[in-house]
Amino acid sequence: MAAVYIFIFIFGLALGSFVNVLIYRVPEGKSIIAPPSACPSCGKRLSPLDLIPVVSWLLLMGKCRYCKARISPRYLFVELLTGAAVIGLFLKFGTSFAFLAFTYLIVILIAIFFIDADHRIIPDELVIAGLAGGVIVMAYNILFPGQMIYGGGKWWLPLAGILSGSGLLLLVAIIGMLVYRTDDAMGMGDVKLFAPIGMFLGWQLTLEALFLSIILAGIASLLLIILRKKNKKDTIPFGPFIVIGAYLCIILGWDIIKWYTGLL
Ligand SMILES: [Zn+2]
């Protein structure tokens, strides 16, 4: 049994190394397939041995084998984070279509987490890749209604998910623009990001993810102001909080809804 988890974790680490490729190449508009990975410092092509997730970084002590330039520990962190996220999905969904579907989504979301934190952009390419996956999820749910990934829902739930996430956020953005008379009250990237999330989560969990991400972003902003890292005029990217909110809702969403409605 442990062997299965080790296998899934290694699978997650390998996906994590692909996430690293997405994080560094998508914002620069480079192909994610060719050319093969090279050291950003000396440009030397990395051998397959250098590309083994986690192990190669540890063996080389975070330095390039050829020029000894320091390789950011973030590569390692992204691999481990993706591995952990995939294990979490496997614990929740086991061997199922839902596991594969959410693993696909989470690869895209982790890449967006770091790209938005670094560059304050949510690349359209990743949103479109997410939507393409969402269309497959929707088709699967229509073909196999008994195995729906949104707790006993209807076929139109993915479309309702787009409304409850992107729709609501767009409404907030429009109101913000009218009130503040600017056109940058809310990043349109965040509105777009909720479209694939909505298709994978259905409308209930998407709404929950939206509330959760707003609360998390609010707490983080408050902490940064208290710690005097930021002042009130600064903004923080919202994308990373949307990603955390969405992942928490994928894993715990229905449990939170059941617990909450039990209180009422
Ligand atoms: Zn090098």
Side-chain angles (χ1 to χ4, degrees), residues 39-44 64-69:
C39 166
S41 241
C42 64
K44 180 100 178 157
C64 169
R65 184 194 299 279
Y66 310 100
C67 71
K68 307 289 174 209

Side-chain angles (χ1 to χ4, degrees), residues 102 134 137-138 141 147-155 157-158 198-205 254:
F102 286 125
V137 166
M138 191 171 165
N141 285 333
Q147 304 170 39
M148 282 203 172
I149 69 173
Y150 324 98
K154 307 271 190 294
W155 69 268
L157 275 175
M199 290 200 84
F200 277 82
L201 269 63
W203 75 268
Q204 295 105 320
L205 293 189
W254 288 110

